[in-house]
Amino acid sequence: MIAVTLGMAAKMSLITLAYVALTFLLWKSVRDRDLSVGDKIGLGFLYGIISVFSTHFGIDYGDMVLNMRDLGPMAAGLFFDPVSGIIAGLIGGIERYIVGRYFEIGAYTTVACSVSTCMAGFFATFLNKFIFKGKKPSIGYAFFMGAVIEVFHMYVVFLTHRDDMRMAFTVVRTCSVPMILFSGIGLMLCSLIIKKSLGELHSPWTSISPEEVPVSNRFQTWMFGVTVFVLLANFGFNYSMQTAAVLQEAKLDLAAASSDIGNSVTWIRERGGHTKNYTHFVGLEGTFAVLDEKGALVAGTQFDKYYNKKIEDLINSHNSKEFFSADIFGEESLCMIRVTDEGLTVFTQIPKGEVYVMRDIQAYETMLADILFFTVIYVLIALLVQNMVVDNLLNVNRSLNRITEGDLNEKVNVYTSSEFASLSDDINLTVDALKGYIDEAKKRIEQELMLAHNIQDAALPKNFTFNHTGFEIFATMDPAREVGGDFYDFFFVGPDRMALVIADVSDKGIPAALFMMRSKTAIRGLAESGYEPEEIFYRVNNELCEGNELNMFVTVWMGIIDLKTGDMKCLNAGHEYPAIMRNGEEYEILKDKHRLPLGAMKDMTYDSYMLHLDPGDCLYVYTDGIPDAININEEEYGLERTLNALNMFKDGSMEGLLQGVKASQDDFVGEADQFDDITMIGFRYNGIQDE
């Protein structure tokens, strides 16, 4: 069997390499010109003829014939043109149906093979137009799509033989692995050699800068990993459940057979009949043996043909009604022994291969169906993310770049969803307000400063009441001037996921307010689009570095909490240490990991950390306007006084806590002027409450 497998692998490898060589030579001959209609049709016919040859010159593997017919339409459609793929698929598929239907070549899988070959051309067309958009697929994508079309091929074998699942299973079990593997490898090698020639192939040992990787690629990579994990977990769970079910069914079948055999033999003996010719089916391939009170064989499958000393020892070594595994006639079997009231010992067995065959059929069919299902979901989600999120974010960013470069007449016009409509309106309203402020600044500076204050204040969330019992939140921002550089924000980024943000711009006044609004909009926009803190900070940092002629920067602390579990993913970009109070304890400073502030240096990477909150735990974040406040004696309020104030008011509401800290600071500062913005957020985690 090993020799047969090695021979098959060698032949499949040669055919695969021939496909790759042909595809590369054809691509090289047309790479420098646009394909004409004649070129597309000609390539389609060429690959269609190759698919026909694959049908008639398959590779013998056991009792089956393997071929690489579907590779032709896939290569034509992915690496040349959709029209070529469709033509090749139709030629290969229709010819396969004709020879199977009328000449009985591979008659058993005629429908499955012809449908999959036709579908390969249409599948390649869809991928070319909507996923890769005329570009050559990546190596990973090429392998995955080559494998998927053969998964579809195998699944159709099951669908078209519902009345003969055992034979269909034999075909799929024999053919699936080599055909799926080599189809994937064939397309992967085509992609590899073409991308190498184009200079688009990146060495796996060379790291790629994160800014060079499109967000859609990152999303697809993570989604693929999660999909594979879910697929394997689901398969493992179903497989274990099916195994337990067939074992239980086998146990019941053996028990029923033992009872029937014992009763029948007893009935025959009581009437003086002969039991040597008594027969009884135990499954399809199982056997039985009946011993009398003295241990002599009185009945069995073909009487004593299958009874020997080994089985006798096996019977004597187990108890009545015991269910166990043993090697019977060189085959692993499930066995049961039953001693009747009359003293007869009944031994029954079923080969494990017979017991597990339906489980294996269901496992194969389920895995193939799951792969196809998750492929469809994966492709659709990738399309939706690209069209509904990534493209719109790029449009928003283009408009924002023009605005930040000074073109205040630019309008953000992305209204494809309520979220982007809200974001566009927020940005446009903010820009309109700033334009109004600039137009009036020369004449009415103080009034416009107050207007800017109102705009900034309106941009901060003021509603602290939610239809959610899992948390309590309150926040305040007191600017040192009419407008400030601090801000806070909190918003949901998904079901039961909430983001908390607090930040402090390095300057004050109008420049800081503009920088603050730019930072806030960018952070919230990316967070609501599903990005994690690391990617948000990286992108916002690079955006703030662009056109930052005043060398301003902003310190930011951000946390995204899962309100179901209390797990919070946090990131600190040069901001103050947060304070945390565990339920029933006191507040203490959490010295978390710091990174450089946003806007300080381009292409900085940021690392997050995990913080877990249990019900009753509280989190307090603030800007440096709290500890750095000084009194008329130039003494700092400091962290120690901050903690004392927090612990003094820890048992009250979050609103009372923040008001208590501010009152304590005001008492300390006295008549001294406020020289910095003061911003605070108090958050208590309650956990998910039972309704």
Side-chain angles (χ1 to χ4, degrees), residues 269 291-296 342-345:
R269 294 183 72 196
L291 308 182
D292 63 13
E293 299 84 346
K294 298 178 181 180
E342 292 78 15
L344 296 178
T345 301

Side-chain angles (χ1 to χ4, degrees), residues 307-326:
Y307 184 73
N308 53 35
K309 185 65 167 56
K310 182 179 179 181
I311 295 179
E312 181 180 353
D313 294 339
L314 192 67
I315 293 173
N316 294 330
S317 63
H318 290 83
N319 299 320
S320 178
K321 298 183 180 180
E322 183 177 350
F323 182 65
F324 59 94
S325 299

Side-chain angles (χ1 to χ4, degrees), residues 179-218:
M179 291 182 65
I180 290 171
L181 182 63
F182 281 98
S183 289
I185 290 175
L187 287 184
M188 180 186 73
L189 291 177
C190 290
S191 175
L192 175 67
I193 195 170
I194 289 175
K195 282 188 169 290
K196 181 68 175 178
S197 299
L198 292 173
E200 298 176 356
L201 187 65
H202 296 283
S203 170
W205 312 112
T206 303
S207 61
I208 303 175
S209 173
E211 68 178 6
E212 297 178 11
V213 181
V215 66
S216 57
N217 286 9
R218 289 181 178 274

Side-chain angles (χ1 to χ4, degrees), residues 536-568:
I536 294 172
F537 279 39
Y538 175 83
R539 289 178 172 270
V540 173
N541 174 66
N542 279 355
E543 182 177 336
L544 295 179
C545 287
E546 296 292 335
N548 188 10
E549 298 177 358
L550 297 179
N551 295 321
M552 299 176 70
F553 59 86
V554 56
T555 67
V556 184
W557 181 94
M558 182 179 189
I560 298 179
I561 184 170
D562 188 328
L563 296 173
K564 290 183 177 179
T565 65
D567 291 329
M568 176 180 283

Side-chain angles (χ1 to χ4, degrees), residues 154-334:
M154 297 298 108
Y155 186 63
V156 177
V157 173
F158 277 127
L159 290 181
T160 53
H161 295 88
R162 309 306 293 181
D163 57 344
D164 189 16
M165 292 297 283
R166 288 176 182 263
M167 183 60 192
F169 172 63
T170 301
V171 173
V172 172
R173 182 176 57 184
T174 305
C175 301
S176 60
V177 173
M179 291 182 65
I180 290 171
L181 182 63
F182 281 98
S183 289
I185 290 175
L187 287 184
M188 180 186 73
L189 291 177
C190 290
S191 175
L192 175 67
I193 195 170
I194 289 175
K195 282 188 169 290
K196 181 68 175 178
S197 299
L198 292 173
E200 298 176 356
L201 187 65
H202 296 283
S203 170
W205 312 112
T206 303
S207 61
I208 303 175
S209 173
E211 68 178 6
E212 297 178 11
V213 181
V215 66
S216 57
N217 286 9
R218 289 181 178 274
F219 177 83
Q220 290 166 13
T221 300
W222 278 100
M223 185 171 64
F224 181 80
V226 171
T227 298
V228 170
F229 173 79
V230 172
L231 184 66
L232 292 176
N234 180 64
F235 176 79
F237 176 77
N238 287 334
Y239 190 82
S240 63
M241 294 295 291
Q242 290 166 0
T243 301
V246 297
L247 284 174
Q248 181 65 25
E249 185 176 352
K251 184 176 181 180
L252 294 174
D253 289 345
L254 288 175
S258 298
S259 178
D260 291 344
I261 292 169
N263 292 337
S264 297
V265 172
T266 299
W267 187 87
I268 294 172
R269 294 183 72 196
E270 288 176 348
R271 285 156 180 77
H274 296 285
T275 59
K276 291 184 178 182
N277 296 325
Y278 171 72
T279 59
H280 189 95
F281 287 102
V282 182
L284 296 176
E285 301 175 2
T287 62
F288 75 96
V290 182
L291 308 182
D292 63 13
E293 299 84 346
K294 298 178 181 180
L297 179 68
V298 297
T301 302
Q302 297 185 24
F303 193 55
D304 57 353
K305 179 179 180 180
Y306 296 108
Y307 184 73
N308 53 35
K309 185 65 167 56
K310 182 179 179 181
I311 295 179
E312 181 180 353
D313 294 339
L314 192 67
I315 293 173
N316 294 330
S317 63
H318 290 83
N319 299 320
S320 178
K321 298 183 180 180
E322 183 177 350
F323 182 65
F324 59 94
S325 299
D327 186 338
I328 307 296
F329 316 124
E331 186 174 11
E332 281 294 316
S333 302
L334 298 174

Side-chain angles (χ1 to χ4, degrees), residues 74-90:
M74 291 293 291
L78 285 176
F79 299 107
F80 295 99
D81 189 82
V83 172
S84 303
I86 292 175
I87 292 175
L90 291 175

Side-chain angles (χ1 to χ4, degrees), residues 379-436:
V379 170
L380 290 178
I381 291 178
L383 280 173
L384 289 174
V385 169
Q386 181 66 42
N387 295 331
M388 299 178 63
V389 178
V390 176
D391 291 346
N392 290 327
L393 279 175
L394 292 175
N395 291 334
V396 171
N397 284 335
R398 278 193 288 268
S399 294
L400 279 174
N401 286 334
R402 295 191 187 99
I403 292 171
T404 54
E405 289 170 0
D407 184 7
L408 298 183
N409 292 320
E410 173 70 19
K411 293 289 185 181
V412 181
N413 191 27
V414 180
Y415 290 92
T416 56
S417 66
S418 61
E419 291 81 6
F420 279 107
S422 176
L423 179 61
S424 298
D425 289 339
D426 286 346
I427 295 173
N428 291 332
L429 287 173
T430 301
V431 173
D432 289 342
L434 291 175
K435 284 174 60 179

